[in-house]
Amino acid sequence: MVALLRVAVQLPLLALVFLYGILILAWRILRQHIFQHHSGIPEIGNLGKTRTLRQKIDGTAVICGGSIAGLFSARVCSDFFERVVIVEPEEWLTSEDGMRRFGWEQEHKRTRVMQYNSLHGCQALVYTGLRELFPDLDDQCGYSKIVIFPADAANFAGTPIPAPVESYGGHLPKTFVCSRAGFETLLRRLVLGQGNYSNITQIIGTVIGVLPESDNSSRLSGVKIRRADLHIEELDASLVVDCTGATRAGVKWLSQSGFGNADVLVNGKLSLQEAKISFDQKLHYSTLICNATPDTLKKLPIPSDQKLETVFYLFLEDDVSQGRRLFALAKTDGDRIIVFAGQSSDENVKYESLEAMRSLIQSFKAYKDPIPQWVFKTIDILDECQPEIHASHVRVPPTSYIQYHKTANLPSNFVALGDSVISVDPLYGQGCTKAFLGAAVLHSVLFAKLKAHTTELPTDFSEQFFKEQFNKTDSFWQVTLIDQRLTVYMTCMSVTDYGIPSTTPLPGEDLRIGSLVRWYLRRLQILATKDAHAARVYWDGSMGFGTSIDIFHPLLIFKTLFNAIIYYG
């Protein structure tokens, strides 16, 4: 009888162990597939391979736009094309000021980059990738006093999430801290200012159209450029790369030349006009850049676990009833302190003084740990010392997506990347990651498609590029469509935007989409404040190193649900 009872108890336990083993095996197989096809890490690891390529295409890659995505693209194309030309509208960027050692000393400001004077951040994946493209990255960062440090800061509504230092063997991947101006100027100097890539040149002008080949309507022969003196000229191109950012000028160029039109749609493909989808989280940015003196910096009550040169505090409010609200305080390049507030709201919210910032964060609701007193004291000291303050306000445009991977009748030697394809919620620091992954995909497809003695790109080049870029970057967007791709795309950008009352969703959708996933993500973040496994998954996702299935590890699901039941709140 005892033996039968023992068997009756053991069999269910053995079945559970067997079932758990099957779940873990299935999870690992699926994760490996997602890692290879949807993570950018394999592409980043291959970036250096192009240096052994014996012959480049005897032609010109034309990069339309010289901001971050354009500079990434130019560097990649320099390994494959005899000539690379960046067409940039702002003339001062060809001067010494455009590659100045210290970005904060620039006399000019970007007029076409709305966030040039706003808070800027990069995920650690970007730094990891840039080191593959630019061997002298660390030296140039040091030259410009851009600090490189382990990416170890994270919290949930004020409660710290421990950095996974131990699981990374004591060496967290690094990132750097600098302003948008500092980063873009560094990148421009790396690409154009050191003489390392002599086949890259930059000209001043605006691309106003593309030129189809006369004897092959599926290819482009070049672009049409309006120079600063309004003179129109044509430039031959073996490859055209749209890096015009949120203006997405490529859509206009292609439409005017008869590409992507509805007359030739096949296999369920879209026209260019149908390919754009958009929603609006109504996000407002307020940034105060305080030019502090060395004496003022010495007075700041920096906590013992941080250093002045990398001090950083971020608070993303858990309660969204007031519209999602975020606060950040950070030391950036130069003797400058950035005080930042972001808020999603139907109103035109602005915070244009230190006192306004202080009043705002006093109303924030913390999960457990309130905003520390050193943050308030830092604001008070800055206010008392009355530094020169540069204030900026940005109404972030709606988040948009040009679904080129679904678009019919595109030229075979045209690609687009960065904000020209997808604009993401800037609060998560994914913008540079998205642009870099696009450039990494460009490298990968060029390397795979080009053979020795090739003189032009293959006929399926554009199609293959947009397919691969979709695989690597679509997860930044696709979580808005929870009902369609729940099992595959689970990062935390648009799914959280749909949790904001002021968000205007995609046509035909409502804000209830993804509510269960938002609940789970919130509980996972709470668990991450005290569980090493959850903390590692959260860190990997926030720094670009994770996969979309990491948060659905069977054990992590169990721990998250168990924690929610036992400590519900």
Side-chain angles (χ1 to χ4, degrees):
M1 188 68 176
V2 173
L4 289 174
L5 287 173
R6 184 178 296 122
V7 170
V9 171
Q10 289 177 343
L11 282 177
L13 290 176
L14 289 173
L16 286 174
V17 171
F18 178 77
L19 178 61
Y20 179 74
I22 293 296
L23 288 173
I24 290 295
L25 178 61
W27 181 89
R28 288 178 177 173
I29 293 173
L30 184 55
R31 188 188 190 278
Q32 182 62 24
H33 173 81
I34 292 174
F35 179 81
Q36 290 296 330
H37 293 85
H38 299 282
S39 165
I41 295 175
E43 277 69 26
I44 288 174
N46 291 331
L47 283 174
K49 288 185 177 179
T50 53
R51 295 181 179 89
T52 62
L53 196 66
R54 291 184 178 180
Q55 185 180 24
K56 299 178 181 180
I57 292 180
D58 184 14
T60 303
V62 176
I63 314 298
C64 309
S67 192
I68 289 175
L71 293 167
F72 286 161
S73 301
R75 169 62 187 90
V76 167
C77 287
S78 70
D79 284 335
F80 297 96
F81 293 85
E82 290 289 347
R83 296 172 296 280
V84 180
V85 177
I86 302 171
V87 184
E88 166 57 47
E90 297 194 46
E91 187 170 1
W92 71 271
L93 293 173
T94 61
S95 69
E96 179 184 348
D97 204 29
M99 290 182 279
R100 193 174 290 278
R101 177 183 180 183
F102 301 127
W104 65 89
E105 293 182 351
Q106 281 181 336
E107 297 174 2
H108 300 80
K109 302 298 178 187
R110 289 284 251 154
T111 59
R112 294 170 177 259
V113 179
M114 64 178 183
Q115 70 274 31
Y116 201 65
N117 295 312
S118 297
L119 178 71
H120 176 77
C122 287
Q123 294 179 316
L125 183 68
V126 174
Y127 171 77
T128 300
L130 285 177
R131 290 195 70 187
E132 296 293 329
L133 284 180
F134 302 104
D136 59 340
L137 175 65
D138 288 7
D139 290 341
Q140 287 300 313
C141 284
Y143 175 71
S144 292
K145 294 187 178 179
I146 293 173
V147 179
I148 300 168
F149 67 104
D152 58 359
N155 69 71
F156 172 69
T159 300
I161 295 177
V165 178
E166 185 175 342
S167 65
Y168 269 100
H171 302 283
L172 276 179
K174 295 178 180 180
T175 187
F176 38 61
V177 55
C178 64
S179 61
R180 168 60 189 254
F183 179 59
E184 186 174 319
T185 304
L186 166 72
L187 192 58
R188 185 170 295 104
R189 193 169 66 247
L190 286 166
V191 173
L192 294 165
Q194 304 299 305
N196 295 329
Y197 313 103
S198 57
N199 59 335
I200 303 177
T201 58
Q202 181 173 252
I203 64 174
I204 297 305
T206 302
V207 176
I208 59 174
V210 293
L211 303 169
E213 284 191 358
S214 58
D215 57 351
N216 184 354
S217 60
S218 67
R219 290 179 57 83
L220 302 176
S221 63
V223 297
K224 188 180 296 184
I225 300 171
R226 182 177 61 240
R227 292 291 210 155
D229 60 2
L230 303 183
H231 173 70
I232 305 298
E233 64 181 56
E234 296 179 358
L235 178 64
D236 292 342
S238 299
L239 173 67
V240 176
V241 185
D242 177 12
C243 296
T244 57
T247 61
R248 301 180 183 92
V251 174
K252 180 180 178 181
W253 308 332
L254 295 177
S255 297
Q256 289 175 339
S257 296
F259 293 102
N261 59 63
D263 296 334
V264 290
L265 297 187
V266 292
N267 300 325
K269 292 283 190 176
L270 304 175
S271 69
L272 275 170
Q273 288 67 35
E274 297 169 324
K276 180 180 178 179
I277 54 178
S278 178
F279 74 95
D280 189 1
Q281 65 270 60
K282 299 173 184 172
L283 178 61
H284 300 260
Y285 262 22
S286 295
T287 302
L288 304 180
I289 301 178
C290 306
N291 293 328
T293 65
D295 288 340
T296 298
L297 292 176
K298 290 178 183 178
K299 296 177 182 179
L300 301 183
I302 307 303
S304 58
D305 61 342
Q306 294 203 51
K307 298 178 180 179
L308 173 62
E309 58 266 27
T310 58
V311 67
F312 181 80
Y313 180 79
L314 176 71
F315 188 105
L316 179 60
E317 195 172 27
D318 183 35
D319 180 11
V320 298
S321 61
Q322 304 281 333
R324 177 184 48 189
R325 301 190 296 181
L326 175 141
F327 170 81
L329 187 149
K331 168 75 166 54
T332 188
D333 45 342
D335 291 338
R336 302 182 299 166
I337 301 292
I338 285 184
V339 184
F340 167 87
Q343 183 170 351
S344 294
S345 174
D346 291 314
E347 306 296 327
N348 187 27
V349 290
K350 296 182 181 181
Y351 302 96
E352 299 178 306
S353 68
L354 289 169
E355 179 56 36
M357 292 285 189
R358 196 184 205 286
S359 298
L360 170 68
I361 62 176
Q362 284 177 326
S363 67
F364 276 16
K365 297 178 182 178
Y367 167 64
K368 282 186 178 179
D369 301 338
I371 295 176
Q373 284 302 307
W374 72 265
V375 173
F376 290 99
K377 291 179 181 177
T378 296
I379 293 175
D380 290 341
I381 291 172
L382 290 173
D383 203 15
E384 292 169 4
C385 294
Q386 296 185 336
E388 180 185 8
I389 296 178
H390 298 279
S392 69
H393 172 262
V394 172
R395 180 5 177 132
V396 179
T399 298
S400 300
Y401 191 1
I402 308 297
Q403 301 171 93
Y404 279 113
H405 62 286
K406 292 183 178 181
T407 305
N409 186 32
L410 294 176
S412 61
N413 58 339
F414 169 86
V415 299
L417 54 89
D419 285 350
S420 298
V421 180
I422 309 176
S423 57
V424 298
D425 187 332
L427 291 183
Y428 301 103
Q430 297 171 324
C432 289
T433 303
K434 164 179 56 70
F436 189 83
L437 290 179
V441 167
L442 181 59
H443 157 270
S444 178
V445 179
L446 282 167
F447 186 78
K449 291 291 183 180
L450 294 186
K451 307 299 182 183
H453 308 296
T454 298
T455 58
E456 65 179 32
L457 298 174
T459 57
D460 65 342
F461 180 81
S462 177
E463 180 181 0
Q464 187 64 31
F465 170 82
F466 284 122
K467 176 183 175 181
E468 291 301 320
Q469 182 172 240
F470 164 80
N471 287 336
K472 302 300 180 181
T473 64
D474 190 63
S475 59
F476 295 124
W477 171 276
Q478 235 358 303
V479 287
T480 58
L481 308 180
I482 298 300
D483 55 335
Q484 296 181 33
R485 297 181 178 269
L486 176 62
T487 59
V488 181
Y489 296 108
M490 285 296 118
T491 53
C492 56
M493 189 268 288
S494 301
V495 64
T496 56
D497 290 335
Y498 267 37
I500 309 304
S502 61
T503 296
T504 300
L506 291 171
E509 297 187 348
D510 62 53
L511 299 183
R512 291 173 295 181
I513 289 178
S515 57
L516 179 60
V517 175
R518 284 192 293 274
W519 178 87
Y520 177 77
L521 288 172
R522 178 178 181 273
R523 298 309 313 183
L524 179 66
Q525 287 177 283
I526 292 173
L527 178 66
T529 64
K530 52 191 173 184
D531 180 89
H533 182 188
R536 169 65 188 262
V537 168
Y538 177 83
W539 189 95
D540 284 347
S542 64
M543 289 297 161
F545 290 99
T547 72
S548 54
I549 200 175
D550 290 355
I551 64 173
F552 292 120
H553 187 286
L555 181 58
L556 201 54
I557 292 175
F558 172 78
K559 289 192 291 186
T560 299
L561 297 179
F562 180 81
N563 187 70
I565 293 170
I566 300 301
Y567 305 103
Y568 188 80

